[in-house]
């Protein structure tokens, strides 16, 4: 920030100094020219033609420097075929006359025709009364005076702007250091949190930094909640595996005759528990992504193709809002919808109807209906218990489908519930998920 400020201040001061130098220098030259122009007009007004056709003054010049040799102020009047009328200050020198152009209007120029003395010359061509000759009136003055003024001006500008630039750089540096000082305090606070001395950033900070402090504290709280959730699920998994392992151990110790069946049964139970907790762990890990966004319709089309391949006798219809997006990872949405649509296809009689509702109150509802026998209201809550199955047809399944859907939906802030389908007469499962915020 200090380097960028230094570069920007330097550029602005250079541009401003250059512009100011040009304006003031031009003003000095214009004032200088105005004085010479008044002298030139006075010369023309005092000029007349003598008896021999020569030019002369009706009154002598007021500036005595015209009478002093090499005084730095000169005039000269010249005409074609006429004798030149110079000021005494020119002495043995003469001003050059460019006959290649006519100076009907006032002509201003710089000249270096005198090697040791740069000149500023104003000249004009005039036809005097009583003469047909075009006389060129020239008045010149040494540039040493204005060059000295311009030099002094530039010296003052350079010193002033250098001091101003240095002061601005010091102020910018102090502002950057003072403005960023709270971030140093935040760094110390975070270091104390990492060292276990503190759990939150508790100090008071300026209003501009408070949102950052709040976000860091929220992040710390979120990380703690995730760690606690992970520990709780690890404990739940350990507890769930403890009973099947005890059963297997006891059967093996007693050399039970049905040991193989016991191992298979308890291993299947352990596998269901592992699958369930792995699904929750994946969802919790992916939930941390704030960029999660998926279009429900695209996920439903992919699920419909997969389920139709497994159950070719089943017709799956999809209707509703095609552009609804939810704040869920695509893999988790596919898993939830896959479980629900597959259950509807498995236990229905051939018809599955899926409806996507338009977003309302920040949520997107998805209804999955089937034409199966349905489930009594008193037994619907049992389906969300891990491992519970109400069918006795022997169809393959783990009994974890709805439990996994409920747990994953809750991780994302959604929910799922069961009701009766009015159109198909079977079961209707409603999955409600948070709407993804609109981009732009």
């Amino acid at each position: 920030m200090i380097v960028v400020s230094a570069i920007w201040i330097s550029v602005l001061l250079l541009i401003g100094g250059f512009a100011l130098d040009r304006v003031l220098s031009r003003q000095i030259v214009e004032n200088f020219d105005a004085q010479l122009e008044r002298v030139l007009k006075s010369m023309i007004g005092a000029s007349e033609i003598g008896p021999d056709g020569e030019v002369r003054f009706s009154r002598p010049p007021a500036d005595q420097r015209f009478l002093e040799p090499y005084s730095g102020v000169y005039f000269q009047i010249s005409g074609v075929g006429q004798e030149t009328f110079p000021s005494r200050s020119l002495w043995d020198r003469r001003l050059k006359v460019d006959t290649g152009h006519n100076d009907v209007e006032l002509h201003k120029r710089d000249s270096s025709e005198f090697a040791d003395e740069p000149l500023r010359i104003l000249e004009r061509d005039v036809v005097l009364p009583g003469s047909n000759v075009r006389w060129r009136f020239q008045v010149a003055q040494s540039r040493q005076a204005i060059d000295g003024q311009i030099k002094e001006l530039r010296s003052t500008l350079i010193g002033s702007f250098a001091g101003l630039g240095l002061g601005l750089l010091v102020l910018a540096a102090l502002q950057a250091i003072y403005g960023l000082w709270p971030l140093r305090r935040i760094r110390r606070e975070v270091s104390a949190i990492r060292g276990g001395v503190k759990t939150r950033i508790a100090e008071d900070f300026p209003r501009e930094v408070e949102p950052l402090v709040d976000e860091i504290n929220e992040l710390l709280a979120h990380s703690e909640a995730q760690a606690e959730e992970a520990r709780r699920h690890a404990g739940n998994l350990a507890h769930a595996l403890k009973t099947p392992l005890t059963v297997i151990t006891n059967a093996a110790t007693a050399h039970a005759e049905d040991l193989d069946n016991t191992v298979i049964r308890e291993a299947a139970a352990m596998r269901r528990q592992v699958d369930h907790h792995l699904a929750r762990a994946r969802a919790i890990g992916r939930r941390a992504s704030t960029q999660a966004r998926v279009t429900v319709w695209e996920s439903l089309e992919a699920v419909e193709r997969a389920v139709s391949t497994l159950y070719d006798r089943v017709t799956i219809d999809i209707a509703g809002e095609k552009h609804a997006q939810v704040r869920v990872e695509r893999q988790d949405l596919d898993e939830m919808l896959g479980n629900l649509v597959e259950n509807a296809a498995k236990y229905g009689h051939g018809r599955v109807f899926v409806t996507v509702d338009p977003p309302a109150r920040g949520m997107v509802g998805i209804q999955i209906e089937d034409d199966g026998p349905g489930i009594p209201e008193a037994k619907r809550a049992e389906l969300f218990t891990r491992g519970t199955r109400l069918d006795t047809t022997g169809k393959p399944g783990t009994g974890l489908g709805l439990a996994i859907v409920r747990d994953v939906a809750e991780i994302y802030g959604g929910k799922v519930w069961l009701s009766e389908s009015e159109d198909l007469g079977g079961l209707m499962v409603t999955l409600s998920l948070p709407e993804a915020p609109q981009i732009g």
Side-chain angles (χ1 to χ4, degrees):
M1 291 178 63
I2 296 174
V3 171
V4 171
S5 298
I7 294 174
W8 186 239
I9 290 173
S10 300
V11 170
L12 289 180
L13 289 179
L14 285 174
I15 295 175
F18 178 78
L20 188 59
D21 172 75
R22 300 305 301 167
V23 170
L24 295 179
S25 297
R26 184 169 60 249
Q27 187 65 38
I28 290 174
V29 173
E30 288 177 354
N31 291 338
F32 191 80
D33 290 345
Q35 296 177 9
L36 291 179
E37 186 176 0
R38 285 196 295 270
V39 173
L40 182 63
K41 289 181 178 179
S42 176
M43 287 172 50
I44 296 174
S47 297
E48 61 182 10
I49 301 299
D52 299 329
E54 79 283 4
V55 67
R56 64 184 183 182
F57 290 145
S58 61
R59 59 181 181 273
D63 194 339
Q64 295 299 311
R65 289 178 296 177
F66 287 126
L67 304 177
E68 301 173 8
Y70 308 129
S71 64
V73 180
Y74 316 103
F75 73 79
Q76 179 175 293
I77 305 173
S78 55
V80 178
Q82 301 294 325
E83 184 178 354
T84 300
F85 178 29
S87 65
R88 183 174 297 179
S89 56
L90 280 173
W91 202 247
D92 58 346
R93 298 181 299 187
R94 295 294 180 268
L95 298 176
K96 291 183 179 180
V97 178
D98 185 1
T99 58
H101 62 88
N102 294 326
D103 294 329
V104 178
E105 299 295 334
L106 183 65
H107 181 216
K108 306 173 184 179
R109 62 185 175 91
D110 292 320
S111 173
S112 57
E113 54 195 79
F114 295 168
D116 56 345
E117 189 178 27
L119 299 176
R120 180 70 173 172
I121 300 176
L122 272 66
E123 53 191 10
R124 184 175 182 182
D125 291 346
V126 176
V127 177
L128 296 174
S131 173
N132 295 325
V133 178
R134 183 182 294 272
W135 299 94
R136 175 159 297 181
F137 286 76
Q138 295 174 294
V139 60
Q141 186 170 346
S142 173
R143 281 190 57 96
Q144 292 177 353
I146 57 174
D147 289 345
Q149 292 179 24
I150 293 175
K151 183 178 180 181
E152 183 178 358
L153 167 67
R154 289 175 177 172
S155 177
T156 303
L157 285 177
I158 291 174
S160 301
F161 274 68
L164 177 61
L166 181 60
L168 290 175
L169 289 178
V170 171
L171 288 177
L174 292 176
Q175 184 180 19
I177 294 173
Y178 176 77
L180 296 178
W181 195 258
L183 297 182
R184 298 174 184 267
R185 292 168 53 198
I186 292 176
R187 185 184 65 182
R188 290 196 296 267
E189 291 286 304
V190 173
S191 178
I193 293 172
R194 188 177 66 250
V197 179
K198 296 182 177 181
T199 59
R200 294 290 188 276
I201 300 177
E203 288 192 22
D204 293 332
F205 287 91
R207 184 171 52 192
E208 294 80 5
V209 185
E210 283 182 355
L212 173 62
V213 175
D214 294 340
E215 288 298 327
I216 293 176
N217 285 332
E218 289 292 333
L219 178 61
L220 291 171
H222 177 72
S223 298
E224 290 178 0
Q226 280 198 315
E228 179 60 30
E229 196 170 8
R231 285 192 295 268
R232 184 172 64 253
H233 287 303
N236 291 340
L237 178 59
H239 181 74
L241 296 180
K242 184 177 180 180
T243 299
L245 287 173
T246 301
V247 173
I248 293 173
T249 301
N250 292 339
T253 303
H255 301 286
E257 295 180 358
D258 60 344
L259 178 61
D260 52 348
N261 293 330
T262 301
V263 171
I264 292 173
R265 183 181 68 252
E266 298 302 328
M270 288 191 290
R271 178 183 177 185
R272 290 196 298 269
Q273 294 295 337
V274 170
D275 289 343
H276 172 75
H277 285 279
L278 284 178
R280 285 185 61 90
R282 286 195 301 268
I284 292 172
R286 288 191 291 264
R287 181 185 60 181
S289 173
T290 58
Q291 303 300 323
R293 174 187 297 271
V294 61
T295 303
V296 177
W297 196 273
E298 296 176 357
S299 182
L300 279 173
E301 288 181 332
V303 169
E304 187 270 335
R305 289 192 295 267
V307 175
S308 296
T309 302
L310 294 175
Y311 302 92
D312 53 3
R313 63 175 181 80
V314 176
T315 300
I316 302 175
D317 297 318
I318 306 174
E321 176 61 50
K322 291 188 176 182
H323 304 291
Q325 293 185 327
V326 293
R327 196 171 64 248
V328 179
E329 286 289 339
R330 174 64 183 270
Q331 183 176 347
D332 292 329
L333 182 61
D334 288 351
E335 185 172 357
M336 288 187 287
L337 294 177
N339 270 305
L340 297 178
V341 175
E342 184 179 0
N343 282 343
K346 183 190 302 183
Y347 300 112
H349 298 320
R351 289 287 307 280
V352 176
F353 190 47
V354 183
T355 306
V356 182
D357 292 336
R361 298 181 180 179
M363 304 295 288
V364 176
I366 308 168
Q367 287 89 35
I368 298 93
E369 305 174 63
D370 63 60
D371 59 348
I375 298 175
E377 184 176 355
K379 295 185 177 181
R380 289 171 188 168
E382 298 180 20
L383 287 179
F384 293 106
T385 303
R386 295 191 291 273
T388 299
R389 299 181 62 192
L390 299 183
D391 68 301
T392 57
T393 61
K395 295 179 181 179
T398 64
L400 287 173
L402 282 177
I404 290 177
V405 171
R406 179 200 60 189
D407 290 346
V408 174
E410 289 178 351
I411 287 171
Y412 284 102
K415 58 183 179 178
V416 59
W417 65 90
L418 307 179
S419 58
E420 183 178 352
S421 172
E422 297 181 359
D423 295 329
L424 300 182
L427 182 68
M428 181 172 75
V429 182
T430 302
L431 175 64
S432 179
L433 296 171
E435 177 192 8
Q438 296 296 323
I439 298 178

